[in-house]
Amino acid sequence: MTPDEIRETVLDILSDIAPDEDLSGLDPDRPFRDQLDMDSMDFLDIVMELRKRYRVQIPEEEYPALASMTSTVEYLTPRMKDIPKK
Amino acid sequence: MYDTLILGAGMSGLAAGIRLAHYDQRVCILERHTTVGGLNSFYRRHGRNFDVGLHALTNYAPKGDRQGPLARLLRQLRLRYDDLELAPQTGSRIAFPEVTLRFGNGLDLLREEVRRQFPDQADRFERLVASLAGYEDLGRAGTERSAREIVGLLLTDPLLIEMLFCPVLFYGGSRERDMEFGQFSILFRSIYLEGLARPRPGVRQVLKLLVRRFKQLGGQLRLRAGVCRIVLRGGAAQGVVLDDGTEIAARCVLSSIGWRETMRLCGVPAGDLPPAGQISFVESISVLDVPPARLGMNETAVFYNDSPAFHYARPDEAIDPRSGVVCSPDNFDYPTPAEENILRVTCLANYDRWAADAMRS
Ligand SMILES: Cc1cc2nc3c(=O)[nH]c(=O)nc-3n(C[C@H](O)[C@H](O)[C@H](O)COP(=O)(O)OP(=O)(O)OC[C@H]3O[C@@H](n4cnc5c(N)ncnc54)[C@H](O)[C@@H]3O)c2cc1C
């Protein structure tokens, strides 16, 4: 997956987890927590969806890398570059 | 082999099933009854829909709120706000002899009413609101205290105390007279600070959404599948035995049928368990030929009591009409009038008497 495809994947997961949110105005550099009022349970849900859909394992100590869209894509790029987009 | 078996397809069991299925578990919900919903169920009779339990959904928040319990619940279950088709209440009332306290969604109306009817308690009331435990404190050490004791230290007018306890106990009191302060705080918030709303189609709307989501995720739901025993090995639950003798194995068993009943299914003799709670209700549902408002019932819910003291306890008689909840599903702020013409009256009851009568007939 390219960084753009990873971004789309993350958006896809976010729209499943928070179906009422309008994600079109998401600022990639601001934390999800501030923009979407996400709590630790929601982050766990993102991690779980990545694992379910793409078998990406993210150890708990690396969850902070998922803070914003930019940091998430950066973190996932080397880990998902060989995984085809579904 | 299932990862998790869940006992009971009430709202807790269904919600737990959805959460576990999100985490890729193989889950099966086992329900003894012929339908889902538990205490919040529904039935159909003579072409009409009737709700059991649910008068209103508490913890109301308008669309767009992201932090309250309703928003968190929706998000964790991945449901859309609009799917619930919520309509807020038109207003409710606590009616005691000579004094009435009205309340709506949000604290403003109740605060104003307390100020007007109990001026010397107004500041104390604010202190009570400020001292409520937060949702995240529920069950933590320090909340295991009597709500009556704590509220009695903050408010000094016994009538105001009784009036505030009336809806809280009716909507959340599983024990007689009093409840634990953490539980009181949760209910106080959910009723007075947040408020009441109703899914336009009734409770079936919520249940339909939960069942559909659970099944979409691959969860299994078995009705008429009562559990008569939880199988223990080395003190850990390893599966269950159904009423018809079938054994089902699982890595984990979750129970939503109450602590006492769960312990009984684990083989603890009934005599070693504390007695079951004494609170039961009887509700009569009347289908009227006019809207309830034409008979003077304009509010969503009226919590009434016929004397200054409120007796929340099991009556000796079959029913205790001295207090109760009168409510109507017609009286919510729907986009178009409901025209259900339904009036519901809920009172405390004596379960043993009703059970004995049912046996006789
Ligand atoms: C009269 C009344 C009015 C209420 N009004 C409201 C209201 O207006 N708003 C509100 O929010 N809440 C209301 N409540 C509270 C609400 O109904 C409950 O909090 C809620 O239904 C509890 O859900 P639950 O899933 O935890 O338990 P339950 O609904 O009790 O579900 C337990 C399920 O387990 C099943 N079961 C039990 N034993 C077994 C077994 N051995 N094997 C298999 N299945 C088993 C039962 O059949 C049941 O379906 C009301 C309750 C009552 C009684």
Side-chain angles (χ1 to χ4, degrees):
Chain A
M1 261 189 249
T2 65
D4 267 351
E5 287 172 332
I6 293 175
R7 205 182 65 88
E8 263 172 51
T9 301
V10 175
L11 276 176
D12 208 44
I13 290 174
L14 285 176
S15 67
D16 271 359
I17 291 178
D20 277 329
E21 293 296 341
D22 174 11
L23 299 170
S24 59
L26 204 66
D27 177 345
D29 298 320
R30 273 182 60 211
F32 294 132
R33 192 181 289 277
D34 299 350
Q35 296 182 80
L36 305 173
D37 276 305
M38 290 179 44
D39 59 20
S40 53
M41 189 74 97
D42 299 318
F43 281 100
L44 213 56
D45 277 14
I46 299 179
V47 170
M48 186 61 207
E49 288 304 315
L50 286 166
R51 179 151 101 210
K52 258 174 28 190
R53 297 179 194 191
Y54 298 101
R55 312 208 166 278
V56 189
Q57 300 278 1
I58 303 173
E60 200 175 333
E61 57 280 9
E62 292 172 17
Y63 289 0
L66 306 180
S68 70
M69 184 59 95
T70 304
S71 68
T72 304
V73 174
E74 212 163 274
Y75 171 82
L76 291 174
T77 300
R79 289 167 178 80
M80 293 179 77
K81 66 178 182 334
D82 298 330
I83 301 172
K85 173 123 172 69
K86 280 188 192 157
Chain B
M1 169 87 124
Y2 289 101
D3 292 309
T4 303
L5 288 174
I6 297 175
L7 274 55
M11 293 200 173
S12 320
L14 290 169
I18 291 173
R19 287 300 295 164
L20 291 170
H22 280 155
Y23 282 70
D24 240 6
Q25 287 213 3
R26 270 174 52 77
V27 191
C28 182
I29 304 180
L30 301 166
E31 168 58 52
R32 177 171 275 150
H33 195 34
T34 52
T35 182
V36 298
L39 290 174
N40 267 336
S41 194
F42 58 89
Y43 60 95
R44 198 172 164 81
R45 203 160 176 182
H46 300 307
R48 274 176 190 278
N49 293 326
F50 297 96
D51 279 3
V52 180
L54 195 94
H55 290 167
L57 197 129
T58 55
N59 302 95
Y60 174 75
K63 187 175 179 179
D65 172 77
R66 284 181 178 145
Q67 281 174 339
L70 179 60
R72 282 162 83 170
L73 211 65
L74 287 172
R75 189 179 283 189
Q76 290 192 8
L77 299 173
R78 303 187 193 167
L79 300 174
R80 286 172 200 278
Y81 187 93
D82 290 338
D83 290 342
L84 289 178
E85 293 184 47
L86 280 187
Q89 67 166 325
T90 53
S92 293
R93 179 156 61 99
I94 310 165
F96 275 49
E98 291 166 37
V99 187
T100 282
L101 288 175
R102 291 178 301 147
F103 66 94
N105 287 350
L107 191 59
D108 294 352
L109 179 56
L110 181 62
R111 175 182 273 144
E112 197 182 295
E113 291 273 290
V114 169
R115 230 171 240 295
R116 212 160 46 82
Q117 315 265 16
F118 297 93
D120 64 315
Q121 299 288 301
D123 293 342
R124 294 176 168 273
F125 178 74
E126 294 304 326
R127 251 176 279 155
L128 167 64
V129 172
S131 70
L132 294 171
Y135 287 115
E136 57 291 332
D137 302 330
L138 185 61
R140 281 203 200 146
T143 54
E144 291 289 316
R145 289 169 63 196
S146 147
R148 284 205 178 263
E149 203 175 287
I150 296 182
V151 176
L153 294 173
L154 292 160
L155 301 178
T156 51
D157 189 319
L159 179 60
L160 178 60
I161 296 177
E162 296 290 289
M163 291 183 81
L164 292 173
F165 265 87
C166 179
V168 168
L169 284 171
F170 266 115
Y171 274 179
S174 57
R175 281 181 266 158
E176 295 178 300
R177 283 172 277 276
D178 197 2
M179 63 170 62
E180 179 264 307
F181 183 67
Q183 186 71 19
F184 174 86
S185 301
I186 297 314
L187 281 150
F188 193 101
R189 284 178 189 283
S190 73
I191 299 168
Y192 299 132
L193 305 195
E194 290 158 19
L196 311 179
R198 181 172 184 266
R200 174 74 191 252
V203 72
R204 71 201 62 227
Q205 181 73 2
V206 182
L207 294 169
K208 195 177 80 185
L209 290 169
L210 294 177
V211 170
R212 196 203 287 149
R213 173 53 41 97
F214 178 61
K215 290 188 171 167
Q216 266 172 1
L217 294 162
Q220 284 184 37
L221 171 62
R222 291 185 56 184
L223 302 173
R224 296 186 182 83
V227 171
C228 64
R229 194 156 64 80
I230 296 173
V231 180
L232 301 174
R233 283 199 192 89
Q238 303 271 293
V240 303
V241 179
L242 299 186
D243 293 338
D244 68 5
T246 322
E247 189 166 338
I248 309 178
R251 287 198 302 114
C252 176
V253 176
L254 279 187
S255 171
S256 72
I257 67 173
W259 179 77
R260 192 180 186 282
E261 183 66 359
T262 305
M263 295 315 285
R264 201 181 64 78
L265 297 189
C266 288
V268 180
D272 294 351
L273 292 166
Q278 296 297 326
I279 293 297
S280 296
F281 300 105
V282 156
E283 180 169 72
S284 69
I285 304 182
S286 308
V287 180
L288 309 171
D289 55 359
V290 290
R294 284 260 290 281
L295 305 179
M297 172 63 188
N298 296 303
E299 285 104 337
T300 296
V302 177
F303 300 84
Y304 77 88
N305 189 60
D306 74 351
S307 71
F310 173 46
H311 304 281
Y312 191 76
R314 182 176 76 156
D316 292 328
E317 304 304 315
I319 180 170
D320 182 354
R322 291 177 299 171
S323 64
V325 189
V326 182
C327 83
S328 171
D330 291 59
N331 297 343
F332 287 83
D333 199 0
Y334 300 115
T336 54
E339 290 167 357
E340 292 194 42
N341 297 353
I342 283 179
L343 191 72
R344 302 168 62 172
V345 182
T346 305
C347 290
L348 287 158
N350 180 312
Y351 173 79
D352 293 338
R353 288 203 165 222
W354 287 84
D357 275 354
M359 289 284 251
R360 268 199 297 276
S361 59

